[in-house]
Amino acid sequence: MTTLDATRFATGGRRMRRRITAAWWYTVAGVLAFEVIMALLIVSVSASLTDSGLEVALVAIGSAIWVAATVPLLIAYRGRDETDPVRGRTLALLLVCALCGAGAWLVTGMWVATVFAIAQPIVMLDWPRGVRVRIVIAITILLAALWFIDVQRHVDTNSATFAFFTVATPAMTVLTLWWWDILLMLDTARLSESRTSAAQERLRIATDLHDLQGHHLQVIALQLELIDRLWERDPAAAREHVRIARESVDDARQGTRDLARGFRTVPLADEIANAADLLQAAGVRTEVHVDARSSDAPVDVFGPVIRETTTNVLRHGGGSWATLSLALSDGGVWRYEIANDRASQGAPAIDGSGLEGISRRAAEAGGGVDVDQDGARFAVTVSVPATGGPA
């Protein structure tokens, strides 16, 4: 893998990891939302079953403790593939949940609320593949049966909302965690594919280099053997073979340089996409416009220019937006422009050495640089003729 490939792989990996982390916290928030709704419903049912404000307050406190006790179990689910040193803490948290359920039973007399308090954290544990499904099916059937029993005992739980969340929350929790598992497997597959692609790229480079050098070295070895045979008999022919051997050496060096240059060269569309990723990662709202014919633009000129100007925006801009564009004008001139706003008009827009280097590259290609400063807006436009003549 080339240095640039490694950088792009690392950048894409970091971006994907941020998305994975965000998805995990969405998962946590979803499960906790189910639990908070269920806790509020239990408090509401408790208020309808007792006239004691103290008992209702105790149920509310117990429900809050129960939700808090399930949070560490939920957080531990993400690192379940690692060595788990908190088995004792897991048992303690389950015991806390069971005590909260027992407290709810003392106030309300509802078996379904008592069993739910311990059933919900149980489905969050790291069960072997296939076991979790059987457990959640059994728990769902048990909760439905207990709710029916409580209704027959004339306990006032005949609420469709309460019944639905009591019976369905463990199953919804498992479905949410299952979705997270799918996302994690996709991320693992993506990383494996990236590593495989990198290995295939290294193998291709090694093959190309072996073929290139092997051919020229074989020619050089043959010429040296002929030189050794002809040196005394035919010096003129020997000198001719020396010349051919030297040409083979030059061809090998040039081929190696061309091979290395081909791997270092990045399409300008990718360069601009990488620049946009960097700006967006820094909190800059970025807009990109790239001509469909960008593959014909001079990469050796615009590639360093794109990197230099992006660095200057990150270093000196401090604004909220930026636009990057690469287009071919009707006159046959490639124009690359990067514009951004600055946090303050007194801040430096671009350092002198950076602008000097950009101007030198453009001038060597027969082009030029235009710097436009209009209030808080700052833009650098680099023009290079498509034909190599003066712009």
Side-chain angles (χ1 to χ4, degrees), residues 24 48 100 207 214 338:
W24 166 248
S48 66
C100 292
T207 302
I338 181 169

Side-chain angles (χ1 to χ4, degrees), residues 268-270 272-273 288-295 324-327 334:
L268 290 177
D270 292 345
I272 295 178
V288 174
H289 303 281
V290 180
D291 195 296
R293 300 162 292 179
S294 62
S295 58
L324 297 86
S325 64
L326 177 65
W334 283 102

Side-chain angles (χ1 to χ4, degrees), residues 300-325:
D300 54 338
V301 177
F302 284 118
V305 168
I306 293 170
R307 292 189 289 269
E308 179 66 28
T309 54
T310 302
T311 301
N312 279 312
V313 170
L314 293 172
R315 185 182 302 164
H316 303 298
S320 60
W321 62 266
T323 60
L324 297 86
S325 64

Side-chain angles (χ1 to χ4, degrees), residues 141-158:
I141 295 174
L142 177 62
L143 290 175
L146 290 175
W147 176 79
F148 181 77
I149 291 172
D150 285 340
V151 171
Q152 297 302 312
R153 293 172 55 236
H154 304 291
V155 179
D156 187 15
T157 60
N158 194 13

Side-chain angles (χ1 to χ4, degrees), residues 169-236:
T169 293
M172 291 189 294
T173 299
V174 170
L175 287 175
T176 304
L177 295 177
W178 172 77
W179 173 252
W180 160 254
D181 290 339
I182 294 296
L183 185 62
L184 197 61
M185 286 190 292
L186 290 175
D187 180 53
T188 302
R190 183 196 62 83
L191 291 176
S192 299
E193 181 182 3
S194 299
R195 294 190 181 100
T196 302
S197 299
Q200 291 176 343
E201 183 71 7
R202 287 194 294 267
L203 180 61
R204 186 171 71 88
I205 293 173
T207 302
D208 291 345
L209 188 60
H210 174 271
D211 293 343
L212 175 69
Q213 298 292 347
H215 167 73
H216 290 292
L217 289 175
Q218 185 68 27
V219 172
I220 293 171
L222 178 60
Q223 297 300 327
L224 291 176
E225 184 178 350
L226 292 173
I227 291 169
D228 182 59
R229 293 180 180 180
L230 298 173
W231 190 258
E232 295 182 354
R233 291 187 304 169
D234 191 349

Side-chain angles (χ1 to χ4, degrees), residues 32-101:
L32 289 180
F34 296 149
E35 294 184 351
V36 170
I37 292 174
M38 190 61 206
L40 293 175
L41 288 173
I42 290 177
V43 174
S44 176
V45 171
S46 300
S48 66
L49 294 176
T50 178
D51 295 330
S52 173
L54 178 60
E55 291 181 347
V56 174
L58 290 176
V59 171
I61 294 173
S63 298
I65 294 175
W66 175 78
V67 173
T70 61
V71 172
L73 296 175
L74 187 58
I75 299 300
Y77 185 85
R78 184 179 183 181
R80 63 195 183 281
D81 291 333
E82 303 171 1
T83 302
D84 185 8
V86 292
R87 294 296 184 186
R89 189 180 70 174
T90 300
L91 294 176
L93 292 171
L94 291 176
L95 179 60
V96 170
C97 293
L99 292 175
C100 292

Side-chain angles (χ1 to χ4, degrees), residues 255-305:
T256 303
R257 283 195 295 267
D258 293 341
L259 184 64
R261 187 182 302 112
F263 287 120
R264 287 197 301 266
T265 301
V266 180
L268 290 177
D270 292 345
E271 285 279 13
I272 295 178
N274 290 338
D277 286 343
L278 288 174
L279 293 172
Q280 289 172 351
V284 180
R285 189 175 68 257
T286 307
E287 187 175 343
V288 174
H289 303 281
V290 180
D291 195 296
R293 300 162 292 179
S294 62
S295 58
D296 298 331
V299 179
D300 54 338
V301 177
F302 284 118
V305 168

